[in-house]
Amino acid sequence: YANIATGNFNPGTAKIYTDQSLFTCRENICSDVVDLYNALFGYSRKRNYNSLLVAPVNMLSGFILLIREEAENARKSQKTHIIVQVNGLTEPSIVEELYAASQAGVKVDLIVRGICCIRPGLPGKSENVNVYSWIGRFLQHQRIYYFYAGGKERMYIGSADWRSRNLKNRVEVCTPVEDSKLFKKLYSNLQFFLKDTRNTWRMASDGRYYMRKASSSVKAITIEKSSELEDEYAISA
């Protein structure tokens, strides 16, 4: 089996950070992990992987391909959607690809805790882009990537932000989430951040963040409680 996580096992940061960690025995993922370690230890020069996106090898090109596929589907008037949760977004090529996808008609929702080099809502450039930042009791450290992919729906989690240092200058890994139950739970978590009105800030086209205002009829719920309800539903289903 293999374990691929969005953060490390640190007893200090674990008190305030929240991450996702995948344990899997899927052969396609485990074989890629073995190949990666062989490359790290100098036993091979592996440059292609079956399932994993590995930086600085194929991760940047892999994400660009996924974004371009959404843009191409949008040009065909198909349903498209990109949802990304990261700590930072600064890589110029990713920024340009997301702008191009927005112009093609792709709906892009970005949940970026820290620095974000995309401006949403710019006429003719990013009308289809939304940028959010969520600040609550715990630091949201996970990196989650969702692509509608023509109805095939692809989800990745991993250690890399969409920063140049992660995509080009470090060894980072993102793994596909292939289990339907885990996929559903991660997607539900993403939807929470997109709908939350308690701790979510939204970037305007001027680059400033504005706090969302909750309706008086809507009961506030935390992400921690949301996860508990999700677990209860999954157990009872």
Side-chain angles (χ1 to χ4, degrees):
Y1 67 89
N3 172 236
I4 300 176
T6 63
N8 54 22
F9 294 94
N10 184 311
T13 57
K15 297 176 182 178
I16 57 172
Y17 282 26
T18 62
D19 277 288
Q20 302 290 344
S21 181
L22 174 70
F23 280 93
T24 181
C25 60
R26 292 179 182 265
E27 186 175 349
N28 58 313
I29 296 176
C30 290
S31 63
D32 274 358
V33 170
V34 172
D35 286 338
L36 173 59
Y37 271 96
N38 283 335
L40 289 175
F41 288 119
Y43 295 118
S44 76
R45 295 184 179 181
K46 187 77 173 179
R47 301 295 296 177
N48 49 39
Y49 296 87
N50 297 317
S51 300
L52 297 183
L53 297 178
V54 179
V57 181
N58 68 341
M59 184 179 291
L60 178 56
S61 60
F63 278 132
I64 287 176
L65 179 60
L66 289 166
I67 296 170
R68 288 181 178 176
E69 287 179 350
E70 293 295 314
E72 183 61 28
N73 288 338
R75 296 186 189 100
K76 297 176 182 177
S77 300
Q78 297 179 12
K79 178 181 177 181
T80 58
H81 199 183
I82 296 172
I83 310 174
V84 172
Q85 182 177 15
V86 290
N87 294 279
L89 198 169
T90 61
E91 168 54 36
S93 58
I94 292 289
V95 170
E96 292 304 316
E97 292 293 338
L98 290 174
Y99 277 140
S102 173
Q103 292 166 39
V106 179
K107 181 180 180 182
V108 180
D109 288 315
L110 304 172
I111 307 159
V112 186
R113 179 178 59 83
I115 185 172
C116 179
C117 292
I118 282 188
R119 291 282 184 92
L122 297 176
K125 191 167 188 177
S126 58
E127 294 100 330
N128 295 309
V129 177
N130 298 304
V131 177
Y132 306 95
S133 182
W134 193 92
I135 302 174
R137 177 183 176 188
F138 296 105
L139 186 147
Q140 298 298 319
H141 193 246
Q142 61 248 17
R143 290 87 165 191
I144 306 174
Y145 303 89
Y146 168 86
F147 303 88
Y148 187 70
K152 296 179 181 179
E153 294 188 288
R154 298 175 183 173
M155 183 94 70
Y156 290 82
I157 67 168
S159 60
D161 289 310
W162 270 353
R163 296 173 181 253
S164 300
R165 69 186 188 189
N166 299 101
L167 298 169
K168 297 178 179 178
N169 301 324
R170 295 180 179 175
V171 176
E172 307 267 9
V173 171
C174 284
T175 180
V177 178
E178 299 173 338
D179 181 89
S180 59
K181 183 178 178 180
L182 297 179
F183 191 107
K184 180 180 178 181
K185 185 166 185 177
L186 287 172
Y187 185 82
S188 177
N189 285 352
L190 291 174
Q191 291 301 311
F192 168 85
F193 292 110
L194 297 179
K195 297 176 181 178
D196 174 62
T197 55
R198 184 176 183 181
N199 296 298
T200 298
W201 296 73
R202 185 170 182 175
M203 185 193 290
S205 58
D206 62 0
R208 298 181 182 181
Y209 286 87
Y210 297 88
M211 187 71 177
R212 274 180 162 180
K213 294 188 181 293
S215 169
S216 59
S217 62
V218 177
K219 184 178 180 180
I221 185 170
T222 65
I223 183 61
E224 293 80 19
K225 187 62 177 177
S226 176
S227 296
E228 290 172 12
L229 294 175
E230 177 75 16
D231 289 338
E232 291 173 7
Y233 174 80
I235 291 172
S236 62

